[in-house]
């Protein structure tokens, strides 16, 4: 079924690898603005994964074996990839932290994401944080859509959102663009190039198998998956269009 769904969204999926935004990232400053927006998508993706971890692995004491051991294995394997990847220097970090460090190394402003997560750490309702934030509308809409899906508390929907939320993130085509910026501006962008390569060289992604196990032969769940795929891909496109508009000067500073 996943192959059929991917075929239905073939043109949409292809769009991300050839997105027009790649033609608008020609300077270090433009790359910084791109990173300042996209970091929220990286964080939201980690939040989707965390739901699956809490739902299908025992995260409190006393410990008990719960659910399907194969599903636990796949989720833990994904967590290992996403939460404890090796960074450029050989130490372990979450991919979000690797991204955040890459941002800082480019000179991008991390204040928005840092302030946002400070409110999250205080336990404030996520929807109140989103509504009260002064983030660009495309970011607020993106995060709200992800947490609307999480709030439904339907594991197969969250797994579908996790699978398709990765589209448009860490596109390896950006490496060529960034290499040109490095050459022209004598900038050191190796940490973000490393992040992009990390995404491109990642082992076979177990998230598709997780989705298959959660949907099984239930056609209603597969129909939900297709709906979620459409919502998430549209959400990604809206975010990219918002970034593109800002890079091309359609949105005032």
């Amino acid at each position: 079924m996943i192959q059929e769904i991917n075929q239905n969204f073939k043109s949409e999926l292809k769009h991300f690898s050839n997105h027009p935004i790649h033609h608008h990232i020609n300077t270090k400053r433009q790359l910084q603005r791109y990173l300042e927006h996209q970091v929220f998508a990286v964080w939201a993706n980690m939040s989707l994964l965390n739901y699956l971890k809490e739902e299908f692995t025992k995260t409190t004491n006393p410990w008990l074996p719960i659910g399907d051991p194969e599903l636990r294995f796949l989720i833990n394997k994904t967590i290992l990839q996403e939460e404890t990847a090796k960074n450029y220097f050989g130490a372990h970090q979450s991919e979000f932290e690797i991204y955040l460090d890459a941002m800082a190394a480019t000179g991008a402003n991390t204040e928005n994401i840092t302030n946002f997560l400070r409110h999250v750490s205080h336990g404030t309702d996520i929807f109140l944080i989103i509504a009260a934030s002064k983030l660009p509308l495309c970011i607020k809409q993106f995060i709200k859509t992800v947490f609307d899906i999480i709030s439904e508390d339907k594991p197969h929907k969250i797994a579908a959102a996790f699978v398709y939320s990765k589209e448009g993130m860490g596109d390896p085509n950006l490496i060529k663009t960034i290499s040109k910026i490095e050459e022209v501006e004598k900038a050191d962008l190796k940490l973000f190039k490393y992040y992009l390569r990390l995404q491109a060289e990642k082992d076979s992604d177990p998230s598709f198998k997780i989705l298959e196990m959660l949907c099984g032969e239930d056609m209603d769940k597969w129909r939900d998956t297709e709906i979620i795929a459409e919502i998430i891909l549209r959400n990604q496109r809206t975010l990219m269009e918002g970034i593109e508009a800002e890079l091309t000067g359609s949105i005032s500073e």
Side-chain angles (χ1 to χ4, degrees):
M1 280 300 299
I2 287 178
Q3 289 80 5
E4 293 177 21
I5 292 172
N6 286 346
Q7 186 63 33
N8 291 341
F9 293 106
K10 185 177 180 180
S11 61
E12 186 76 8
L13 293 168
K14 186 178 179 181
H15 176 76
F16 287 110
S17 61
N18 297 286
H19 198 281
I21 197 170
H22 297 153
H23 302 294
H24 301 302
I25 303 176
N26 299 306
T27 67
K28 188 170 77 167
R29 183 55 188 146
Q30 289 170 328
L31 175 62
Q32 290 167 348
R33 298 307 291 270
Y34 171 83
L35 295 172
E36 289 161 9
H37 287 66
Q38 193 75 345
V39 66
F40 286 90
V42 178
W43 172 75
N45 192 51
M46 297 298 294
S47 299
L48 290 164
L49 176 58
N50 192 61
Y51 174 96
L52 297 175
K53 177 174 68 175
E54 291 183 343
E55 184 73 13
F56 295 107
T57 69
K58 192 73 166 68
T59 57
T60 58
N61 278 315
W63 180 86
L64 291 169
I66 61 172
D68 185 330
E70 182 65 20
L71 185 58
R72 290 202 307 265
F73 167 76
L74 292 169
I75 289 171
N76 283 326
K77 182 178 180 181
T78 308
I79 290 167
L80 191 66
Q81 289 181 350
E82 303 278 342
E83 283 195 355
T84 56
K86 272 193 176 181
N87 66 19
Y88 179 85
F89 304 102
H92 289 96
Q93 285 183 304
S94 69
E95 293 192 357
F96 170 76
E97 290 167 305
I98 292 172
Y99 197 98
L100 202 60
D101 284 352
M103 281 183 68
T106 68
N109 190 338
T110 60
E111 185 176 343
N112 280 344
I113 183 66
T114 301
N115 288 341
F116 187 87
L117 294 186
R118 186 177 298 115
H119 289 295
V120 171
S121 70
H122 292 160
T124 309
D125 179 83
I126 187 64
F127 294 104
L128 291 178
I129 297 172
I130 296 167
S133 77
K134 296 181 180 179
L135 295 171
L137 182 59
C138 63
I139 295 178
K140 295 175 72 165
Q141 289 176 333
F142 183 94
I143 303 171
K144 183 179 182 302
T145 297
V146 169
F147 279 91
D148 279 339
I149 294 171
I150 291 174
S151 68
E152 289 188 54
D153 200 22
K154 301 290 185 182
H156 66 288
K157 290 188 176 184
I158 280 82
F162 180 71
V163 166
Y164 290 99
S165 69
K166 295 181 179 182
E167 299 303 324
M169 288 169 38
D171 193 326
N173 289 330
L174 276 175
I175 292 177
K176 292 181 180 178
T177 300
I178 293 167
S179 295
K180 290 179 181 177
I181 296 173
E182 281 187 310
E183 183 178 349
V184 172
E185 299 195 30
K186 309 302 180 187
D188 185 358
L189 305 176
K190 63 178 180 290
L191 293 190
F192 187 56
K193 287 170 71 174
Y194 176 84
Y195 173 85
L196 294 173
R197 291 193 181 100
L198 186 67
Q199 300 306 304
E201 297 169 3
K202 191 180 293 184
D203 291 340
S204 57
D205 193 341
S207 57
F208 283 99
K209 181 62 177 176
I210 292 170
L211 181 56
E212 286 180 334
M213 292 184 70
L214 291 177
C215 289
E217 297 182 6
D218 189 326
M219 294 309 298
D220 286 337
K221 289 184 177 180
W222 283 116
R223 278 190 284 272
D224 285 345
T225 293
E226 189 160 10
I227 292 169
I228 292 296
E230 182 176 6
I231 290 171
I232 286 293
L233 292 174
R234 184 171 63 242
N235 202 34
Q236 293 281 59
R237 180 188 280 267
T238 299
L239 178 62
M240 296 288 270
E241 288 173 350
I243 302 171
E244 183 183 4
E246 182 156 334
L247 293 181
T248 55
S250 299
I251 297 176
S252 60
E253 295 288 335

